[in-house]
């Protein structure tokens, strides 16, 4: 049984005040593999007190000292790479090859991106009017991360804290405490001063809510559902905290008939199913030009039927289970909603894939003949479920693409680069991926509209954790 019952506070592994245990379940076997503790408000207060004290000295450190700390964290992250990957395979069911190549890789990639950006970051400059502009750390930060990309999200929040001279309290999802514990061990081994980084396991309504309302926390950085993100903002309002949010998405993927359909559609389907569809920027609405609609359905169906589902501990490019029963039930319900709404089930459906009688495995599913008014087209499903919608022309595609409360990402498939630029400029989304172009570490990531605010990664991801001070000399 994996024991995650200690919190990392003020540079030490301590027994929490709370004694409320929470089981860690394997999503593949449904068996209990470990135990953690759900912290309470007193645990939060202890962590905040440590972070407040540590801020007094860590906020004054020179950039060179912080770069040295980050270089050490990088070295140890590389040493613990396999431990991180296996932790995520066990706790949230990421298939081990993907857990290494994408999930754990993000811990290294974002860190390298931030080191590069910190070197470029100007912390003091003279304005043309003679005033001096200084960038300072914002203060104590509350970091809340979800279960779908645990280390990706932790790195995107914890590294900027260390890089800018802030201090923090991290609350990972209680469903993925294991990778967070290993991350804390990495920070500890790197020699981070006590109190700069604190880890509390716990749930959103207790620990997350206490952090959001705490008077000594100056900034909340949250990733998760729009529902929980707005709750964090509301609670943070009384103390006028800065709140950065990375929330949901329902990203459109526009397929024009002039692209290499076989390649682009096959890869689009695989991308939608990656991480079993549990990615905020997954291309979940495939918008298809009417002139190639029939051909696209055939290619998409072949791609979905070839999508292997297997145990996460096996090597390979299969997908694994969803992270928990809660998510399995949500996805099953949305597949049923799609059928009831009259969408055509092209592949998949409700129930587990054949060969599975336990674990939160779902069938890779595609709906065709979807209209953008259907719930499956505008609600985030967070499972391997693709909705295919036909469009008439470019203007129609842009309208459908933007007809969503979200604006995290958009995808375009076309061989006409003038069209790609034209359409990209009209899409209300924080990122546009053209012909399979992937995210590069060091670039900003974040959304328009209800997908959030602020940007994570690279230079902008550092600046979000800074305040600006102007010095006026007489
Ligand atoms: P949540 O947003 O509830 O969970 C994400 C994180 O927020 C967890 O650490 C969670 O803790 C915490 N949290 C929850 N409620 C609050 C609160 N009131 N105050 C502070 N923190 C809170 O997502 P769910 O796990 O419930 O998933 C629901 C849906 O959200 C998914 O189906 C998906 O659509 C979307 N989602 C989007 C993500 C993204 O990357 N943008 C990531 C995860 C989910 P706890 O686990 O205790 O609830």
């Amino acid at each position: 049984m994996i024991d995650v019952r200690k919190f990392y506070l003020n540079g030490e592994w301590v027994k929490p005040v709370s004694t409320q245990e929470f089981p860690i379940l394997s999503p593949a076997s449904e068996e209990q593999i470990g135990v953690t503790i759900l912290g309470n408000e007193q645990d939060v207060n202890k962590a905040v007190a440590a972070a407040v004290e540590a801020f007094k000295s860590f906020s004054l450190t020179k950039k060179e000292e912080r770069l040295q700390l980050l270089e050490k964290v990088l070295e140890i992250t590389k040493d613990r790479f396999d431990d991180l990957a296996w932790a995520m395979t066990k706790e949230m069911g990421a298939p081990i090859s993907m857990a290494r190549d994408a999930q754990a890789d993000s811990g290294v990639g974002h860190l390298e991106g931030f080191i590069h950006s910190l070197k470029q970051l100007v912390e003091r400059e003279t304005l043309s009017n003679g005033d001096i502009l200084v960038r300072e750390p914002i203060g104590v930060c509350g970091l809340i991360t979800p279960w779908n990309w645990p280390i990706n999200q932790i790195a995107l929040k914890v590294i900027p804290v260390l890089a800018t001279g802030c201090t923090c309290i991290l609350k990972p999802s209680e469903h993925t405490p294991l990778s967070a514990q290993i991350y804390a061990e990495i920070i500890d081994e790197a020699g981070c001063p006590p109190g700069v980084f604190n880890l509390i396991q716990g749930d959103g309504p207790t620990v997350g809510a206490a952090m959001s309302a705490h008077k000594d926390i100056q900034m909340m950085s949250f990733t998760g559902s729009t529902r929980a993100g707005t709750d964090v903002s509301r609670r943070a309002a009384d103390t006028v905290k800065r709140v950065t949010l990375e929330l949901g998405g329902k990203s459109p993927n526009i397929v024009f008939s002039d692209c290499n359909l076989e390649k682009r559609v096959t890869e689009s389907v695989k991308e939608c199913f990656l991480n079993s569809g549990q990615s905020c920027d997954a291309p979940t609405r495939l918008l298809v030009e009417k002139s190639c609609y029939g051909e696209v359905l055939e290619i998409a169906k072949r791609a979905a039927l070839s999508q292997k589902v297997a145990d996460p501990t096996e090597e390979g490019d299969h997908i694994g289970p969803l992270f928990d029963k809660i998510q399995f039930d949500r996805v099953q319900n949305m597949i049923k909603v799609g059928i009831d709404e009259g969408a055509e089930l092209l592949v998949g459906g409700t129930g587990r894939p054949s060969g599975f009688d336990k674990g939160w495995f779902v069938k890779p599913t595609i709906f065709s003949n979807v209209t953008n008014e259907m719930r499956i087209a505008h609600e985030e499903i967070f499972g391997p479920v693709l909705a295919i919608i036909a469009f008439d022309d470019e203007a129609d595609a842009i309208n459908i693409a933007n007809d969503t409360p979200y604006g995290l990402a958009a995808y375009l498939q076309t061989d006409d680069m003038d069209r790609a630029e034209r359409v990209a400029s009209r899409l209300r989304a924080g990122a546009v991926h053209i012909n399979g172009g992937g995210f590069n570490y060091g670039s900003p990531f974040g959304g328009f509209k209800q997908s959030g605010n602020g940007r994570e990664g690279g230079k902008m991801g550092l600046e979000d954790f800074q305040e600006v001070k102007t010095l006026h000399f007489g």
Side-chain angles (χ1 to χ4, degrees), residues 194-208:
V196 169
F197 168 87
N198 303 278
L199 168 71
I200 294 196
Q201 308 285 359
D203 66 13
T206 314
V207 174

Side-chain angles (χ1 to χ4, degrees), residues 172-219:
S173 166
E174 71 270 30
H175 299 285
T176 50
L178 194 47
S179 52
Q181 171 158 295
I182 294 172
Y183 206 79
E185 288 167 7
I186 292 171
I187 304 277
D188 180 60
E189 196 184 330
C192 185
V196 169
F197 168 87
N198 303 278
L199 168 71
I200 294 196
Q201 308 285 359
D203 66 13
T206 314
V207 174
M211 282 163 59
S212 307
H214 204 291
K215 68 174 177 42
D216 292 332
I217 292 183
Q218 279 79 43
M219 169 174 171

Side-chain angles (χ1 to χ4, degrees), residues 26 95 109 137 191 238 270 273 303 316 319 328 341 379 388 420 441 446 465:
S26 157
D238 283 343
K270 296 269 174 205
F273 294 165
I319 59 171
F328 179 83
E341 287 179 307
E379 288 183 26
I388 304 188
Y441 297 123
F465 286 78

Side-chain angles (χ1 to χ4, degrees), residues 38 144-149 153 171-175 202-210 212 220 222-229 231-232 235 246-249 278-281 323 326-327 330 380-382 406 408 451:
L38 301 181
I144 301 182
T145 54
W147 40 263
N148 58 336
W149 285 88
Q153 289 311 136
K171 187 209 90 65
S173 166
E174 71 270 30
H175 299 285
D203 66 13
T206 314
V207 174
S212 307
M220 290 299 298
F222 173 85
T223 298
S225 65
T226 301
R227 171 196 58 79
D231 191 57
V232 169
R235 287 178 199 275
E246 202 272 271
L247 308 174
Q278 302 167 113
S279 301
C280 46
D281 62 345
F323 87 101
I326 212 177
Q327 195 63 14
R330 280 183 195 136
E380 192 171 38
I381 299 176
F382 242 56
Y406 296 115
L408 192 54
S451 287

